[in-house]
Amino acid sequence: MGASRTDMATLGRDLAGQVLLPGDDGYDRRRRVWNAMVDRRPALIARCAHRDDVAAAVRFGRDHGLEIGVLCGGHSVLGLPVSDGGLLIDLSLMDAVRVDPPSRRAWVQGGAPLGALDRATQRFGLATTAGNVSHTGVGGLTLGGGMGWLARQYGLACDNVVSFEMVTADGDVVRADAEENADLFWGLRGGGGNFGVVTEFGFRLHESGTRALLADLYFDPEDAAAPMGGWRDLIADAPRRATLTAWTGIAGDWPHLPSELHDRPLASVGYVWVGDPEEGRRLLPALRDLGSPVAERVQELPYLDLQTMDDTVEGHALRRYWKGHYFTGFPDDAVRAFLAPGDGPFRPAASLQSYGGAIADVADEETAFSHRGALVEFVASQRWSDPAEDAGRMAAARRYGASLEPYATGAYVNALTDEGETGVRRAYPAEKLARLTALKDRYDPDNVFHLNHNIPPTARAEP
Ligand code: FAD
């Protein structure tokens, strides 16, 4: 099967949005995603303007036997929704955010980037948990869980969803919340894009204020093991407004570091505080007691600046590769492995972010998201521009990831790359995977939505 140009043009006439075919203006721009390694050419891109467009596009894809990918922010590291010869359902026109301050609710369309959500809610001094880079999509981030600087106060992004509107594999529109389709509501909070296309998220908002504080102590990596061990020990009793952070990598020419530290391997420990910065400063003595750093940064900033401060360094047009793990404990041997990412030009960078707080308040069985007992999340990352470095860069990240795996307790589905089924089994324990599979059997038995970290339906005998 397949769709002729005439068929595709007919779909274009039926949509309030737009259909882009190879050669059309804008086709190349819309098929490009965050990771520049992804260079695939869908047969058509359906730029949907509302849920009826989405339903029409899903039906069209099925009728013509096209693989269907669902694109929100385009930040899945492997560019999962974009396939050669398939149908790309591009939700980026559906980026509206409506805020109702009295009820502390926001309704967010399925293609919105995080920045749209943050900007709309901060106008009222409100926010909900969103990730750390504003061009990431609300869609993929929330459906996989959604970690951010507010998560220890208010739970993950998915914990703050009160309702979903979703287009099913049959092109029907369903709603899922605590009362209606409660099983689907469970699965959409962590199960990823396996069940349909979410066209609207309803979020609970919080009076988070508009201010934040950053604190980081920088060390030579060879001197960082003791401070990092001490930093780890602070996590258990840290206030919920603080997310403890650690990092290792090659320092950029960052204004907060003296120039002699630029381009040098460094490691840092610190925290991000959302709320009154004065209150946040009360944690500084405990941090400073950890050791004598080569540099220190303490910076007050608006919450919106915090949410965009990594937008450039995490920008588009570079080649990317990640390895991620969850840890329920981070013993000294793991600290040493973290600080030894490998030498040479392909040395990966890595970060740790603390969990706990409100994330762990939610009972594990309440959502498809798992690993609520995680102490820290680890992500090793590579970014480069020369394709000749692809193999070496990815091998270095894999080696580094493997050196920490003995201490790991699982993986975050949204940080998976090319682990395939093994990765999905690390993201969900067996009993959750069984429940997710049952949900998949019910909502998408033909696995229409498989361009994701896939939870396949139960295999069916050939007729
Ligand atoms: P896309 O590639 O557009 O979508 C990924 C998948 O999500 C699709 O294949 C589809 O299955 C599904 N999907 C997306 N939208 C919908 C929808 N509306 N309906 C149904 N399915 C949908 N994660 C965190 O938790 N916290 C962070 O702070 C964080 N920071 C990040 C920073 C960067 C620079 C990057 C690259 C990633 C970050 N992530 C973070 C990981 C991020 O959550 C995942 O990469 C996520 O998949 C990105 O979602 P997206 O919509 O941008 O991706």
Side-chain angles (χ1 to χ4, degrees), residues 70 72-76 91 110 131-132 137 140-141 147 196 198 322 412 414 451:
V70 180
C72 177
H75 280 46
S76 65
L91 300 175
N132 308 344
L141 179 125
M147 176 59 186
V198 174
W322 283 11
Y412 177 27
N414 276 350
L451 294 176

Side-chain angles (χ1 to χ4, degrees), residues 230-287:
W231 166 89
R232 169 206 57 212
D233 296 340
L234 293 177
I235 294 175
D237 296 323
R240 289 177 175 216
R241 287 183 191 278
T243 306
L244 273 66
T245 54
W247 167 88
T248 188
I250 306 288
D253 53 355
W254 303 327
H256 59 270
L257 290 183
S259 57
E260 65 271 18
L261 294 180
H262 295 171
D263 301 321
R264 269 181 49 182
L266 286 181
S268 69
V269 292
Y271 62 92
V272 171
W273 179 272
V274 182
D276 177 3
E278 284 314 313
E279 204 185 320
R281 283 177 188 276
R282 290 187 209 140
L283 203 53
L284 282 174
L287 188 70

Side-chain angles (χ1 to χ4, degrees), residues 33-34 69-77 79-81 91 109-112 114 130-133 135-143 145-148 156 166 192-194 196-201 310 314-315 320 322 353 355 377 412-415 449 451-453:
V33 288
W34 176 75
V70 180
L71 180 77
C72 177
H75 280 46
S76 65
V77 180
L80 294 170
L91 300 175
Q109 284 190 303
L114 296 176
N132 308 344
V133 173
H135 39 73
T136 311
V138 170
L141 179 125
T142 306
L143 291 167
M147 176 59 186
L156 298 167
M166 188 188 89
N194 276 285
V197 186
V198 174
T199 45
E200 188 181 79
F201 296 83
D310 289 334
E314 292 297 349
R320 306 279 186 162
W322 283 11
Q353 215 176 336
Y355 273 52
E377 182 196 346
Y412 177 27
V413 71
N414 276 350
F449 302 109
L451 294 176
N452 45 37
H453 295 296

Side-chain angles (χ1 to χ4, degrees), residues 248-400:
T248 188
I250 306 288
D253 53 355
W254 303 327
H256 59 270
L257 290 183
S259 57
E260 65 271 18
L261 294 180
H262 295 171
D263 301 321
R264 269 181 49 182
L266 286 181
S268 69
V269 292
Y271 62 92
V272 171
W273 179 272
V274 182
D276 177 3
E278 284 314 313
E279 204 185 320
R281 283 177 188 276
R282 290 187 209 140
L283 203 53
L284 282 174
L287 188 70
R288 287 177 175 143
D289 278 352
L290 297 176
S292 305
V294 293
E296 177 184 300
R297 157 170 71 167
V298 177
Q299 186 187 344
E300 286 183 27
L301 71 176
Y303 177 72
L304 279 180
D305 288 2
L306 172 71
Q307 290 294 88
T308 51
M309 71 177 194
D310 289 334
D311 279 12
T312 305
V313 72
E314 292 297 349
H316 294 71
L318 288 170
R319 305 174 86 76
R320 306 279 186 162
Y321 189 71
W322 283 11
K323 280 287 156 205
H325 298 303
Y326 275 136
F327 299 87
T328 49
F330 206 66
D332 290 345
D333 285 347
V335 169
R336 281 188 281 276
F338 177 80
L339 292 169
D343 294 323
F346 295 165
R347 185 186 202 277
S351 62
L352 296 172
Q353 215 176 336
S354 67
Y355 273 52
I359 303 167
D361 288 347
V362 178
D364 185 65
E365 65 276 8
E366 270 188 41
T367 62
F369 178 84
S370 306
H371 305 292
R372 291 192 178 272
L375 180 77
V376 289
E377 182 196 346
F378 161 87
V379 176
S381 58
Q382 288 277 24
R383 62 194 166 101
W384 70 103
S385 46
D386 182 355
E389 295 181 3
D390 288 359
R393 291 274 182 182
M394 293 195 290
R398 287 187 189 123
R399 271 195 306 276
Y400 185 31

Side-chain angles (χ1 to χ4, degrees), residues 76-137:
S76 65
V77 180
L78 292 192
L80 294 170
V82 190
S83 68
D84 278 324
L87 162 61
L88 182 61
I89 296 185
D90 172 5
L91 300 175
S92 60
L93 295 176
M94 296 173 57
D95 62 352
V97 178
R98 186 163 54 86
V99 179
D100 181 45
S103 65
R104 298 211 193 121
R105 291 283 187 272
W107 288 271
V108 181
Q109 284 190 303
L114 296 176
L117 172 59
D118 283 335
R119 284 190 303 275
T121 52
Q122 279 284 280
R123 286 180 53 215
F124 306 100
L126 300 171
T128 198
T129 304
N132 308 344
V133 173
S134 80
H135 39 73
T136 311

